[in-house]
């Protein structure tokens, strides 16, 4: 199996607190009367890439959105259970959701640059935090664009509209926008599904480098991608966590028949 970055495997069934970025405990979630997630418990390790796989409608995007409370934006959403990040339960009523979304960044399926310049896109979140010193903004924008492997391509046109960039460049710009806030966790919801194969590989290599500085959780329908880039993979079916293990094990020796059927194409 091709891996972009080798690592020491951790036992996710017995993950120590200091190695845990997200600790999900008995999470149930409803939209109105419909229950979407059923008793999810899992520990996601720090500075690793964890993929969520499963057929459409199985709850992957809902689960990843629970990690920075984006589901709160939907009327009728309610949840039970705990999600522990940085020693606090983010589902607590007194959680500072704005601070949480700075700490836990999100990149969506389709690039969504703001209708402003490349520079203003990257500096947008920093300005919202009250940063106004131009030199500080300049340094942060450059670093974020370098971290997203985009600086050399845009350094001479920072004040041109972001929409002039290609699809792959726009996706890296959105990643840079998230990285500018120095998140501990980066959530990627189908980040390459709208991109060509070469650009997809570029983003995958970018992810492999970024995990040195933050934890990455990715939703993907592409099992080859999950096998290539992720250290751990979780398989969901109908809102339930069926199997969760290091990717090499899950894709070569799955423990559950449902997992084997899915990765071999027998259903889904």
């Amino acid at each position: 199996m091709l891996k972009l970055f080798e690592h020491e495997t951790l036992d996710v069934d017995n993950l120590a607190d200091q190695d845990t970025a997200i600790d999900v405990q008995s999470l149930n979630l409803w939209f109105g009367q419909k229950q979407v997630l059923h008793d999810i418990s899992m520990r996601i390790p720090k500075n690793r890439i964890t993929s969520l796989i499963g057929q459409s409608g199985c709850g992957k995007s809902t689960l990843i959105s629970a990690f920075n409370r984006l589901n709160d934006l939907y009327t009728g959403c309610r949840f039970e259970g705990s999600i522990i990040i940085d020693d606090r339960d983010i589902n607590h009523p007194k959680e500072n959701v704005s601070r949480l979304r700075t700490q836990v960044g999100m990149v969506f399926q389709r690039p969504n640059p703001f209708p402003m310049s490349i520079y203003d896109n990257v500096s947008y979140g920093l300005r919202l935090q009250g940063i106004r010193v131009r030199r500080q903004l300049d340094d942060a924008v450059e670093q974020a664009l370098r971290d997203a492997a985009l600086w050399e391509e845009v350094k001479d046109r920072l004040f041109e509209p972001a929409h002039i960039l290609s699809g792959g460049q726009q996706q890296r710009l959105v990643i840079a926008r998230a990285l500018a806030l120095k998140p501990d966790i980066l959530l990627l919801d189908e980040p390459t599904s709208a991109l060509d194969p070469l650009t997809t590989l570029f983003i995958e290599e970018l992810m492999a480098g970024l995990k040195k500085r933050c934890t990455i959780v990715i939703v993907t329908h592409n099992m080859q991608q999950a096998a290539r880039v992720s250290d751990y993979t979780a398989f969901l079916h109908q809102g339930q966590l069926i199997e969760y293990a290091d990717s090499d094990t899950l894709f070569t020796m799955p423990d559950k028949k449902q997992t084997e059927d899915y990765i071999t194409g027998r259903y889904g």
Side-chain angles (χ1 to χ4, degrees), residues 87-100:
D87 296 323
R88 68 184 193 274
D89 182 2
I90 68 168
N91 285 341
H92 192 280
K94 293 185 178 180
E95 170 68 17
N96 184 326
V97 178
S98 294
R99 182 183 71 164
L100 172 67

Side-chain angles (χ1 to χ4, degrees), residues 43-228:
R43 284 191 158 199
I44 295 176
K46 290 180 179 178
N47 297 106
R48 302 290 196 271
I49 301 175
T50 298
S51 289
L52 307 181
I53 64 170
Q55 61 198 120
S56 297
C58 72
K60 304 184 300 297
S61 292
T62 300
L63 178 57
I64 203 174
S65 296
F67 297 156
N68 69 349
R69 297 274 298 270
L70 278 182
N71 294 316
D72 292 16
L73 301 176
Y74 295 96
T75 302
C77 175
R78 61 187 179 92
F79 43 75
E80 296 174 351
S82 301
I83 301 175
I84 309 299
I85 296 177
D86 197 22
D87 296 323
R88 68 184 193 274
D89 182 2
I90 68 168
N91 285 341
H92 192 280
K94 293 185 178 180
E95 170 68 17
N96 184 326
V97 178
S98 294
R99 182 183 71 164
L100 172 67
R101 291 174 184 160
T102 299
Q103 181 183 9
V104 184
M106 172 73 92
V107 174
F108 295 98
Q109 178 175 1
R110 294 189 177 277
N112 60 339
F114 299 144
M116 53 183 66
S117 71
I118 295 167
Y119 182 99
D120 287 340
N121 262 271
V122 181
S123 64
Y124 183 83
L126 298 169
R127 293 178 189 275
L128 286 181
Q129 290 186 335
I131 298 174
R132 295 287 186 270
V133 178
R134 185 54 183 261
R135 180 57 185 268
Q136 189 175 356
L137 289 172
D138 288 349
D139 290 346
V141 167
E142 178 177 347
Q143 187 59 55
L145 289 169
R146 286 188 183 278
D147 290 341
L150 190 57
W151 172 253
E152 293 299 328
E153 298 170 44
V154 302
K155 63 183 180 181
D156 296 323
R157 45 184 181 145
L158 292 175
F159 297 98
E160 295 180 14
H163 67 77
I164 68 171
L165 300 176
S166 68
Q169 289 174 322
Q170 287 185 18
Q171 192 65 299
R172 281 182 282 150
L173 175 64
V174 173
I175 292 173
R177 190 171 69 199
L179 292 176
L181 297 174
K182 300 188 181 301
D184 296 323
I185 299 166
L186 186 61
L187 310 175
L188 305 172
D189 192 354
E190 293 280 354
T192 63
S193 63
L195 304 178
D196 62 81
L198 186 59
T199 307
T200 293
L201 181 59
F202 197 96
I203 297 290
E204 290 176 356
E205 291 174 341
L206 174 60
M207 286 189 283
L210 286 176
K211 71 178 182 180
K212 299 174 185 177
R213 55 168 291 182
C214 63
T215 301
I216 296 176
V217 185
I218 175 174
V219 167
T220 180
H221 282 98
N222 187 329
M223 285 182 287
Q224 289 77 21
Q225 180 175 75
R228 281 195 302 268

